[in-house]
Amino acid sequence: MQYLPNIVFALLLIGGVGFFIQNIRKLKRNIHLGKAIDRSDQKKERWSNMFKIALGQSKMVRRPVSGFLHIIVYVGFIIINIEVLEIILDGLLGTHRLFLGLLGSAFYSFLIGVFEVLAFLVLVSVIVFWARRNVLRIKRFWYKEMTAWPKNDGNIILYFEMVLMSLFLLMNATDIHFQEINIGNTISQYISPLFANLSEGTNHVIERTAWWIHIVGILAFLNYLYYSKHLHILLAFPNTFYANLKPKGQFANNATVTKEVQTMMDPNADPYAVPEEPEGEPEKFGASDVTDLNWVQLMNAYTCTECGRCSSVCPANQTGKELSPRAIMMKTRDRVEEVGKNIDANKGEFKEDGKQLLNDYISPEELWACTSCNACVEECPVNIDPLSIIMDMRQYLVMEQSAAPQELNTMMGNIENNGAPWPYNQMDRLNWKDE
Amino acid sequence: MNVPTMAELTAQGKQPDVLFWVGCAGSFDDRAKKITKAFVKILTHAKVNFAVLGTEESCTGDPAKRSGNEFLFQMQAMTNIEVLNAYDVKKIVTACPHCFNTIKNEYPELGGSYEVMHHTQFLKTLLDEGKISIEGGSYKGKKITFHDPCYLGRANDVYEAPRELIRKLEVELIEMKRCKINGLCCGAGGAQMFKDAEKGNKEVNVLRTEDALEIKPDIIATGCPFCNTMMTDGVKNKEKEDDVQVMDIAEMIANAQDL
Ligand code: SF4
Ligand code: SF4
């Protein structure tokens, strides 16, 4: 019976990490439902982007208040996780504050002292974050895509962090031995007097309870990630690494179209030749569902933090149009998830569900409101590209469905007939010089 | 005005140093034609050996591509590339950021690789080489703000060339609250120029004009014929056309030197 806590702990740990790994596998599979795209070039730039933007948070601080608070939470969270290592070892070995003996009291007190300060700062920052969302009601957190789950998700994360940080401080404050040696208790020394009247036994029970809830909470948090916009704490790294490095104005040229056009324009081609039937299904132009997008676009969707910075700078969104680039990303993620679940439920095969990204999630009205201004792409703190999805879906609407707005059809007709978007004759192109 | 075409120069056995790509707006839109002419005046004054394609020029395909019609875009692109390559064009300058972006970034893969410059970049090199001089003239002391075209700014990271030219006009260059990488679109890009806006509560060009009017400029400077139209309409919408002018940088430079 003596080893019961160790065994319980080990089982919890295996269960928690195991479930997490299973979800990560699913995540990988879902992302690779997307088409291939080669982003293996320019390794140096890619690493540097990842260091600057994901690790260094360089785009976060463009908005100084939230950027600064976010860095505290981020640094705090990463560093405090060193403490989790001790907690795990203690739990498995049945020891208590294993590192105190291993590292010596001077260094240990320094570490725990820093952890406590950080935990306190994280707690304060998270409370400010919560207030920005719920008291100040900053506009971008209240757009119409931010209801129901997305809104709760944002708050749940904050509660999670509040509770975890409080438990960490609480367990230190009620650890009587730790308070007695009086090292590293930079913050908890101010909390422990609150428990001074309670017996040593009660303090110990509180300490143990806080310790257990804390580690269970961390495992729960780990597994919550997959279902949350908080997945960005992992995906921000590959996402910034694989982000587009070409000029933002350069949109990909479709290679199949290039071949077709080349054949059409080749003066040596036999005009009566029966065109070669390509093998398999004819290529579909553009995207009507998530499987028509590439894997980077799908990874983008899973990485989206739902911060809404993109939508807050979008000209269409600011003028009351239906389009919100954040919603484009969120809907894409929802649909990939749906497709993923469908595959899981049907033994690894997707079973036609009569739905697609276009219309069932994203409406043509949203797509046609985009000015392709790249403001969303520039603004995104983790280098997501909502514009590329919008353009791929427009391509489907026009090339597969001929469903452009009437005025655009007129414009394109003009280009086809007289080489300008307006109905002027190409032969009049130089008339301005004599006017 | 005397504007040599590629066909004429080739017939005379000559090759220009740079091709001026006029673009559809620059060729047909009444407001944009003035920008085209102003730019030609500067080129002529600076004795630049240039030519235009004239009737051999055709839409770059930008609005088709941004509407989703990849096929039409590539037809346009390859037709243009054939013409450009036949004349052995090496260097292109254009006063339209959409043409600039398309030819510079999207043509190379389709077989058309050229050195492409926006007219503000080109004017900046003329200035640096001492081929033109810029003085304030009637603009001296005026308050001017520059509206960044999306396809010049964010799309291609060109922010300084236009601003350096404006400063040379001995004016006070003032910035809108959203400028450079944060600049707000005028509302014309992505083929919006050619259609009505979706349902909303405001026009994008009006919102952008409000940004500009907030800082009370005498002139809103632009570097794109479409931005120019949008901002001009915005100023009209706000009934400020008596107080605020919308001008392309090339026009201001030409005017200031009495060209
Ligand atoms: S590119 Fe489109 S979606 Fe993105 S900010 Fe501009 S208008 Fe909005
Ligand atoms: S796409 Fe980027 S900017 Fe937009 S909500 Fe997601 S993370 Fe934020």
Side-chain angles (χ1 to χ4, degrees):
Chain A
M1 283 313 270
Q2 187 197 347
Y3 291 112
L4 189 63
N6 309 42
I7 295 170
V8 171
F9 185 88
L11 288 177
L12 270 176
L13 191 66
I14 294 170
V17 173
F19 193 60
F20 172 71
I21 292 175
Q22 199 190 326
N23 272 340
I24 291 295
R25 286 224 183 93
K26 210 177 271 180
L27 174 67
K28 239 183 117 178
R29 191 231 19 222
N30 288 358
I31 288 175
H32 285 288
L33 291 174
K35 289 195 195 162
I37 179 173
D38 185 16
R39 289 278 165 88
S40 59
D41 59 335
Q42 303 183 62
K43 287 263 160 44
K44 232 178 96 201
E45 269 85 1
R46 296 190 179 282
W47 282 110
S48 132
N49 266 352
M50 192 177 93
F51 275 107
K52 274 194 290 212
I53 300 167
L55 199 64
Q57 312 251 307
S58 59
K59 287 177 92 178
M60 274 306 289
V61 289
R62 285 193 191 164
R63 303 208 181 175
V65 179
S66 54
F68 179 68
L69 293 170
H70 189 267
I71 287 188
I72 293 180
V73 175
Y74 164 77
V75 171
F77 220 76
I78 291 183
I79 295 183
I80 295 167
N81 271 318
I82 302 175
E83 168 67 3
V84 175
L85 188 63
E86 185 188 36
I87 294 179
I88 290 176
L89 291 174
D90 277 346
L92 288 174
L93 305 172
T95 49
H96 183 63
R97 296 197 183 269
L98 177 71
F99 288 0
L100 177 58
L102 290 180
L103 302 173
S105 61
F107 188 49
Y108 187 76
S109 75
F110 166 74
L111 279 183
I112 296 286
V114 170
F115 296 161
E116 285 205 353
V117 171
L118 282 171
F120 179 70
L121 288 176
V122 170
L123 188 60
V124 173
S125 309
V126 170
I127 292 173
V128 178
F129 274 149
W130 182 86
R132 282 164 57 88
R133 269 177 197 261
N134 300 287
V135 183
L136 298 176
R137 289 177 159 255
I138 288 181
K139 219 169 106 199
R140 64 186 152 104
F141 300 123
W142 291 87
Y143 287 172
K144 71 168 191 273
E145 64 265 24
M146 295 308 284
T147 50
W149 172 246
K151 172 166 170 260
N152 294 337
D153 181 25
N155 283 326
I156 290 173
I157 288 289
L158 297 176
Y159 298 139
F160 242 122
E161 295 182 38
M162 284 181 212
V163 170
L164 287 180
M165 294 302 129
S166 304
L167 286 170
F168 174 68
L169 292 173
L170 180 67
M171 84 189 195
N172 283 354
T174 50
D175 185 337
I176 292 183
H177 173 68
F178 176 67
Q179 292 298 331
E180 269 169 0
I181 56 174
N182 200 20
I183 52 164
N185 52 348
T186 37
I187 303 291
S188 60
Q189 59 179 300
Y190 302 105
I191 306 171
S192 71
L194 297 175
F195 302 90
N197 291 333
L198 303 176
S199 71
E200 200 175 324
T202 316
N203 262 299
H204 184 66
V205 171
I206 300 177
E207 190 267 339
R208 282 291 87 194
T209 314
W211 188 94
W212 277 98
I213 304 180
H214 181 250
I215 186 66
V216 171
I218 286 177
L219 289 174
F221 186 85
L222 186 67
N223 281 292
Y224 182 75
L225 291 183
Y226 177 72
Y227 306 96
S228 161
K229 58 130 181 157
H230 228 57
L231 196 49
H232 76 267
I233 66 173
L234 303 175
L235 287 185
F237 294 88
N239 202 71
T240 45
F241 185 85
Y242 290 112
N244 178 31
L245 295 177
K246 296 188 178 130
K248 291 194 187 66
Q250 178 178 345
F251 296 1
N253 292 328
N254 185 311
T256 315
V257 174
T258 309
K259 270 194 222 113
E260 267 183 52
V261 175
Q262 270 163 350
T263 322
M264 278 183 63
M265 291 182 50
D266 183 1
N268 302 320
D270 173 5
Y272 302 107
V274 183
E276 251 179 76
E277 276 301 326
E279 281 173 38
E281 282 190 35
E283 185 171 355
K284 170 175 168 184
F285 295 115
S288 63
D289 209 348
V290 286
T291 42
D292 305 322
L293 297 170
N294 64 52
W295 66 270
V296 172
Q297 292 170 313
L298 298 188
M299 179 168 65
N300 277 185
Y302 276 112
T303 310
C304 177
T305 73
E306 295 172 22
C307 68
R309 291 177 180 219
C310 54
S311 298
S312 75
V313 296
C314 170
N317 192 278
Q318 289 175 76
T319 52
K321 315 288 181 330
E322 198 59 25
L323 171 63
S324 163
R326 167 173 56 188
I328 299 285
M329 301 319 299
M330 291 168 68
K331 290 169 181 181
T332 305
R333 178 171 176 175
D334 288 347
R335 176 62 183 158
V336 198
E337 268 300 293
E338 187 176 56
V339 172
K341 285 197 189 119
N342 180 315
I343 294 176
D344 290 334
N346 295 299
K347 305 191 188 76
E349 285 277 335
F350 177 73
K351 210 172 130 209
E352 192 48 57
D353 61 355
K355 285 204 223 165
Q356 53 174 5
L357 185 60
L358 181 69
N359 296 324
D360 295 308
Y361 287 84
I362 297 173
S363 69
E365 181 179 345
E366 293 166 68
L367 301 172
W368 291 117
C370 174
T371 71
S372 72
C373 72
N374 263 306
C376 53
V377 185
E378 182 73 57
E379 189 69 23
C380 180
V382 288
N383 277 18
I384 287 169
D385 185 351
L387 174 57
S388 70
I389 296 182
I390 297 175
M391 283 299 144
D392 285 353
M393 294 185 75
R394 277 191 184 182
Q395 203 173 93
Y396 175 83
L397 280 174
V398 171
M399 296 185 69
E400 297 284 345
Q401 308 226 296
S402 308
Q406 188 43 46
E407 301 130 297
L408 290 188
N409 281 331
T410 310
M411 176 271 288
M412 291 186 280
N414 288 330
I415 294 181
E416 229 175 307
N417 295 327
N418 44 272
W422 301 288
Y424 296 109
N425 193 319
Q426 187 165 1
M427 286 304 124
D428 295 336
R429 252 187 126 91
L430 199 51
N431 290 4
W432 54 268
K433 81 177 171 115
D434 303 314
E435 283 171 11
Chain B
M1 78 194 337
N2 180 29
V3 185
T5 64
M6 288 302 293
E8 286 160 15
L9 289 194
T10 309
Q12 296 160 18
K14 289 188 208 151
Q15 176 77 7
D17 299 330
V18 59
L19 171 80
F20 172 29
W21 183 276
V22 183
C24 300
S27 304
F28 294 123
D29 180 86
D30 284 336
R31 180 69 189 80
K33 281 191 261 187
K34 293 187 186 148
I35 304 170
T36 306
K37 286 191 203 167
F39 186 57
V40 166
K41 282 181 195 160
I42 304 172
L43 292 178
T44 312
H45 176 77
K47 304 202 169 56
V48 175
N49 179 15
F50 77 101
V52 299
L53 281 174
T55 56
E56 289 183 280
E57 189 187 280
S58 187
C59 175
T60 58
D62 159 271
K65 187 174 181 85
R66 268 95 197 138
S67 298
N69 196 336
E70 181 72 8
F71 191 80
L72 179 55
F73 161 70
Q74 292 203 16
M75 285 293 287
Q76 288 299 118
M78 289 196 209
T79 313
N80 284 326
I81 289 168
E82 248 181 24
V83 174
L84 291 167
N85 288 353
Y87 283 123
D88 200 17
V89 170
K90 296 270 181 313
K91 186 169 173 178
I92 298 175
V93 61
T94 174
C96 173
H98 295 265
C99 299
F100 166 72
N101 176 69
T102 305
I103 303 176
K104 178 171 178 285
N105 295 322
E106 289 163 2
Y107 278 21
E109 249 177 42
L110 303 173
S113 295
Y114 320 99
E115 184 193 344
V116 189
M117 293 176 100
H118 185 246
H119 69 318
T120 57
Q121 294 175 308
F122 191 78
L123 289 171
K124 175 75 186 25
T125 54
L126 289 185
L127 183 72
D128 292 343
E129 289 163 3
K131 295 201 177 123
I132 55 169
S133 58
I134 302 179
E135 273 153 37
S138 57
Y139 296 108
K140 206 169 169 172
K142 288 234 156 84
K143 288 210 302 197
I144 298 187
T145 188
F146 179 65
H147 162 77
D148 290 281
C150 302
Y151 275 89
L152 186 64
R154 272 188 296 273
N156 286 294
D157 296 317
V158 180
Y159 300 105
E160 281 315 311
R163 287 180 168 78
E164 280 173 36
L165 293 174
I166 294 174
R167 281 192 209 100
K168 284 280 169 201
L169 288 165
E170 303 167 74
V171 301
E172 186 190 341
L173 176 63
I174 50 176
E175 295 289 359
M176 294 182 243
K177 64 175 187 252
R178 317 182 239 210
C179 62
K180 301 184 186 166
I181 60 167
N182 298 320
L184 178 70
C185 176
C186 71
Q192 296 294 339
M193 182 75 189
F194 307 100
K195 63 185 261 298
D196 283 328
E198 272 52 45
K199 196 161 72 13
N201 52 32
K202 199 180 233 172
E203 294 293 336
V204 177
N205 67 327
V206 173
L207 183 64
R208 185 48 169 169
T209 308
E210 285 168 0
D211 279 4
L213 296 181
E214 204 175 282
I215 54 168
K216 303 200 163 32
D218 298 307
I219 295 170
I220 301 170
T222 63
C224 169
F226 298 104
C227 297
N228 193 307
T229 305
M230 288 309 221
M231 299 307 281
T232 306
D233 288 350
V235 170
K236 272 193 208 132
N237 179 288
K238 293 275 159 188
E239 297 179 353
K240 288 279 181 206
E241 58 266 50
D242 295 335
D243 309 330
V244 184
Q245 274 181 294
V246 180
M247 302 274 281
D248 191 275
I249 294 177
E251 293 180 293
M252 293 198 289
I253 292 175
N255 286 349
Q257 317 318 309
D258 283 325
L259 297 178

mmCIF file of all heavy atoms in Angstrom, chain A residues 341-357:
data_model
loop_
_atom_site.group_PDB
_atom_site.id
_atom_site.type_symbol
_atom_site.label_atom_id
_atom_site.label_comp_id
_atom_site.label_asym_id
_atom_site.label_seq_id
_atom_site.Cartn_x
_atom_site.Cartn_y
_atom_site.Cartn_z
ATOM 1 N N LYS A 341 -13.103 13.630 -37.890
ATOM 2 C CA LYS A 341 -13.984 12.777 -37.079
ATOM 3 C C LYS A 341 -14.719 11.777 -37.954
ATOM 4 O O LYS A 341 -14.907 10.617 -37.577
ATOM 5 C CB LYS A 341 -15.000 13.644 -36.330
ATOM 6 C CG LYS A 341 -14.372 14.360 -35.154
ATOM 7 C CD LYS A 341 -15.431 14.870 -34.192
ATOM 8 C CE LYS A 341 -14.805 15.763 -33.140
ATOM 9 N NZ LYS A 341 -15.327 17.119 -33.160
ATOM 10 N N ASN A 342 -15.120 12.250 -39.124
ATOM 11 C CA ASN A 342 -15.779 11.382 -40.085
ATOM 12 C C ASN A 342 -14.862 10.200 -40.430
ATOM 13 O O ASN A 342 -15.284 9.039 -40.432
ATOM 14 C CB ASN A 342 -16.104 12.229 -41.333
ATOM 15 C CG ASN A 342 -16.807 11.458 -42.427
ATOM 16 O OD1 ASN A 342 -16.416 10.345 -42.751
ATOM 17 N ND2 ASN A 342 -17.838 12.062 -43.000
ATOM 18 N N ILE A 343 -13.594 10.496 -40.674
ATOM 19 C CA ILE A 343 -12.638 9.437 -41.012
ATOM 20 C C ILE A 343 -12.488 8.460 -39.840
ATOM 21 O O ILE A 343 -12.469 7.236 -40.026
ATOM 22 C CB ILE A 343 -11.276 10.049 -41.399
ATOM 23 C CG1 ILE A 343 -11.441 10.839 -42.700
ATOM 24 C CG2 ILE A 343 -10.202 8.976 -41.542
ATOM 25 C CD1 ILE A 343 -10.211 11.578 -43.140
ATOM 26 N N ASP A 344 -12.412 9.010 -38.620
ATOM 27 C CA ASP A 344 -12.289 8.148 -37.440
ATOM 28 C C ASP A 344 -13.491 7.226 -37.299
ATOM 29 O O ASP A 344 -13.358 6.054 -36.963
ATOM 30 C CB ASP A 344 -12.181 8.989 -36.165
ATOM 31 C CG ASP A 344 -10.851 9.714 -36.098
ATOM 32 O OD1 ASP A 344 -9.883 9.220 -36.713
ATOM 33 O OD2 ASP A 344 -10.784 10.778 -35.454
ATOM 34 N N ALA A 345 -14.672 7.792 -37.568
ATOM 35 C CA ALA A 345 -15.896 7.034 -37.360
ATOM 36 C C ALA A 345 -16.097 5.977 -38.442
ATOM 37 O O ALA A 345 -16.856 5.026 -38.262
ATOM 38 C CB ALA A 345 -17.093 7.968 -37.314
ATOM 39 N N ASN A 346 -15.429 6.160 -39.596
ATOM 40 C CA ASN A 346 -15.643 5.230 -40.698
ATOM 41 C C ASN A 346 -14.398 4.422 -41.026
ATOM 42 O O ASN A 346 -14.041 4.229 -42.184
ATOM 43 C CB ASN A 346 -16.144 5.993 -41.934
ATOM 44 C CG ASN A 346 -17.505 6.605 -41.687
ATOM 45 O OD1 ASN A 346 -18.472 5.906 -41.428
ATOM 46 N ND2 ASN A 346 -17.569 7.924 -41.727
ATOM 47 N N LYS A 347 -13.711 4.024 -39.992
ATOM 48 C CA LYS A 347 -12.558 3.130 -40.113
ATOM 49 C C LYS A 347 -11.527 3.635 -41.114
ATOM 50 O O LYS A 347 -11.048 2.900 -41.985
ATOM 51 C CB LYS A 347 -13.021 1.725 -40.524
ATOM 52 C CG LYS A 347 -14.060 1.133 -39.594
ATOM 53 C CD LYS A 347 -14.261 -0.349 -39.898
ATOM 54 C CE LYS A 347 -15.423 -0.946 -39.145
ATOM 55 N NZ LYS A 347 -16.751 -0.590 -39.697
ATOM 56 N N GLY A 348 -11.196 4.893 -40.981
ATOM 57 C CA GLY A 348 -10.101 5.420 -41.783
ATOM 58 C C GLY A 348 -10.463 5.860 -43.187
ATOM 59 O O GLY A 348 -9.606 6.274 -43.961
ATOM 60 N N GLU A 349 -11.738 5.769 -43.547
ATOM 61 C CA GLU A 349 -12.151 6.228 -44.884
ATOM 62 C C GLU A 349 -13.122 7.382 -44.715
ATOM 63 O O GLU A 349 -14.020 7.306 -43.880
ATOM 64 C CB GLU A 349 -12.893 5.097 -45.625
ATOM 65 C CG GLU A 349 -12.025 3.989 -46.155
ATOM 66 C CD GLU A 349 -11.397 4.318 -47.485
ATOM 67 O OE1 GLU A 349 -11.965 5.166 -48.223
ATOM 68 O OE2 GLU A 349 -10.335 3.745 -47.782
ATOM 69 N N PHE A 350 -12.979 8.418 -45.522
ATOM 70 C CA PHE A 350 -13.938 9.507 -45.434
ATOM 71 C C PHE A 350 -15.239 9.086 -46.113
ATOM 72 O O PHE A 350 -15.240 8.599 -47.240
ATOM 73 C CB PHE A 350 -13.392 10.765 -46.109
ATOM 74 C CG PHE A 350 -14.362 11.905 -46.110
ATOM 75 C CD1 PHE A 350 -14.633 12.603 -44.940
ATOM 76 C CD2 PHE A 350 -15.019 12.275 -47.282
ATOM 77 C CE1 PHE A 350 -15.548 13.652 -44.929
ATOM 78 C CE2 PHE A 350 -15.936 13.322 -47.276
ATOM 79 C CZ PHE A 350 -16.189 14.004 -46.100
ATOM 80 N N LYS A 351 -16.339 9.249 -45.399
ATOM 81 C CA LYS A 351 -17.626 8.909 -45.986
ATOM 82 C C LYS A 351 -18.324 10.204 -46.359
ATOM 83 O O LYS A 351 -18.477 11.092 -45.523
ATOM 84 C CB LYS A 351 -18.465 8.115 -44.974
ATOM 85 C CG LYS A 351 -19.415 7.146 -45.644
ATOM 86 C CD LYS A 351 -20.087 6.245 -44.611
ATOM 87 C CE LYS A 351 -21.579 6.261 -44.847
ATOM 88 N NZ LYS A 351 -22.366 6.044 -43.662
ATOM 89 N N GLU A 352 -18.711 10.317 -47.608
ATOM 90 C CA GLU A 352 -19.335 11.544 -48.114
ATOM 91 C C GLU A 352 -20.427 12.020 -47.152
ATOM 92 O O GLU A 352 -21.324 11.257 -46.798
ATOM 93 C CB GLU A 352 -19.911 11.255 -49.509
ATOM 94 C CG GLU A 352 -20.326 12.486 -50.286
ATOM 95 C CD GLU A 352 -19.289 13.587 -50.292
ATOM 96 O OE1 GLU A 352 -18.159 13.349 -50.719
ATOM 97 O OE2 GLU A 352 -19.624 14.711 -49.834
ATOM 98 N N ASP A 353 -20.325 13.277 -46.743
ATOM 99 C CA ASP A 353 -21.305 13.767 -45.775
ATOM 100 C C ASP A 353 -22.166 14.887 -46.346
ATOM 101 O O ASP A 353 -22.919 15.545 -45.625
ATOM 102 C CB ASP A 353 -20.611 14.225 -44.495
ATOM 103 C CG ASP A 353 -19.639 15.370 -44.749
ATOM 104 O OD1 ASP A 353 -19.431 15.739 -45.930
ATOM 105 O OD2 ASP A 353 -19.096 15.911 -43.776
ATOM 106 N N GLY A 354 -22.023 15.120 -47.648
ATOM 107 C CA GLY A 354 -22.864 16.128 -48.287
ATOM 108 C C GLY A 354 -22.545 17.549 -47.865
ATOM 109 O O GLY A 354 -23.349 18.453 -48.085
ATOM 110 N N LYS A 355 -21.383 17.719 -47.248
ATOM 111 C CA LYS A 355 -21.024 19.074 -46.822
ATOM 112 C C LYS A 355 -19.678 19.452 -47.407
ATOM 113 O O LYS A 355 -18.908 18.612 -47.839
ATOM 114 C CB LYS A 355 -20.916 19.111 -45.303
ATOM 115 C CG LYS A 355 -22.243 19.093 -44.590
ATOM 116 C CD LYS A 355 -22.043 19.703 -43.223
ATOM 117 C CE LYS A 355 -22.765 18.915 -42.159
ATOM 118 N NZ LYS A 355 -22.278 19.294 -40.836
ATOM 119 N N GLN A 356 -19.395 20.717 -47.420
ATOM 120 C CA GLN A 356 -18.066 21.177 -47.819
ATOM 121 C C GLN A 356 -17.778 22.517 -47.144
ATOM 122 O O GLN A 356 -18.639 23.100 -46.497
ATOM 123 C CB GLN A 356 -17.973 21.286 -49.341
ATOM 124 C CG GLN A 356 -19.094 22.136 -49.937
ATOM 125 C CD GLN A 356 -18.935 22.371 -51.428
ATOM 126 O OE1 GLN A 356 -18.049 21.830 -52.061
ATOM 127 N NE2 GLN A 356 -19.786 23.218 -51.983
ATOM 128 N N LEU A 357 -16.528 22.964 -47.307
ATOM 129 C CA LEU A 357 -16.137 24.233 -46.676
ATOM 130 C C LEU A 357 -16.926 25.399 -47.277
ATOM 131 O O LEU A 357 -17.399 26.287 -46.570
ATOM 132 C CB LEU A 357 -14.625 24.442 -46.868
ATOM 133 C CG LEU A 357 -13.996 25.649 -46.185
ATOM 134 C CD1 LEU A 357 -14.177 25.594 -44.675
ATOM 135 C CD2 LEU A 357 -12.504 25.743 -46.530
#
